[in-house]
Amino acid sequence: MSVSPVCPRCGEALTVRPGSTAEGWCHVHAAVTPLHHTAVVAHDAISAVCADARVPAWVPDPMPRGWAVTGLAWGGEPGARAIVVACAGPAPLGGSAELVLVAEEPGTGLGCGYAGLPGVDPGELVGGPSTVAVEAAGQRAPLWLVPTGDDRAAYVGEAHGVWLWLVTWPASAAWLLAEDLALLDLRERVYPDLPLGPTTERLLPGR
């Protein structure tokens, strides 16, 4: 079940023109791509969003032990131009952790929203030697650490022609990236035993 769309940059409620799902109006950021999300995470909802998506839907593959998908959000419909998959589980250094994976077309602003950055794209934050790399559907994807709040860590790069963001809470959970992290595009395969967990509050940008 999809709930009322919000701004991909700040998570505030939108005014959506009747009959239009492609553009909404945020009182802070003006015209934006509406961000939809599910109230309950389910395999059939993931399959439905992935069926005509224009961007990947990334999950760790294999999923770290004890981790589960805890949220799904998408920007624009039909044919999502941004997809967010949230996961949660035990942190590498103890305690609990959350990870948000974002694939988005340039100009959407969704990754910047989760990272707590102004603007819609990382711009000059991407350049020079990369910080880490992941394997995204079999392709090496360099990622750059970007400045953000002390409560999280944010990395951005490019994979399959669109932005790839990984944002972790707490910041120390970024140690997940030191373990040769590989990502699966759920457009290729939503496996029936993909672990699902309670819905996270991290799906709303700006939190």
Side-chain angles (χ1 to χ4, degrees):
M1 179 181 68
S2 175
V3 297
S4 299
V6 299
C7 175
R9 298 178 61 186
C10 66
E12 293 294 323
L14 295 180
T15 300
V16 179
R17 198 155 39 98
S20 172
T21 58
E23 185 175 284
W25 186 266
C26 172
H27 72 281
V28 177
H29 297 109
V32 295
T33 298
L35 181 67
H36 306 266
H37 60 285
T38 57
V40 178
V41 187
H43 291 104
D44 57 351
I46 297 173
S47 296
V49 171
C50 291
D52 59 2
R54 292 159 44 172
V55 300
W58 299 117
V59 293
D61 182 42
M63 189 75 75
R65 179 182 295 274
W67 280 67
V69 172
T70 57
L72 174 71
W74 62 98
E77 59 180 20
R81 298 183 297 280
I83 293 182
V84 183
V85 179
C87 304
L93 302 182
S96 59
E98 294 193 74
L99 167 67
V100 164
L101 303 101
V102 179
E104 63 175 337
E105 293 183 350
T108 306
L110 186 52
C112 285
Y114 286 113
L117 301 174
V120 294
D121 291 314
E124 296 179 355
L125 297 176
V126 175
S130 60
T131 310
V132 295
V134 298
E135 182 183 290
Q139 297 183 10
R140 182 178 183 275
L143 300 175
W144 285 261
L145 178 65
V146 298
T148 185
D150 293 339
D151 64 330
R152 71 195 75 181
Y155 294 80
V156 63
E158 180 272 332
H160 291 256
V162 296
W163 292 121
L164 165 62
W165 292 81
L166 285 83
V167 184
T168 69
W169 293 264
S172 60
W175 277 103
L176 287 167
L177 303 181
E179 301 176 358
D180 297 323
L181 186 67
L183 305 179
L184 168 71
D185 182 359
L186 290 175
R187 295 181 301 174
E188 303 297 326
R189 175 172 61 94
V190 180
Y191 51 95
D193 57 346
L194 178 70
L196 306 179
T199 304
T200 178
E201 296 182 357
R202 298 287 185 194
L203 275 181
L204 295 181
R207 292 294 177 91

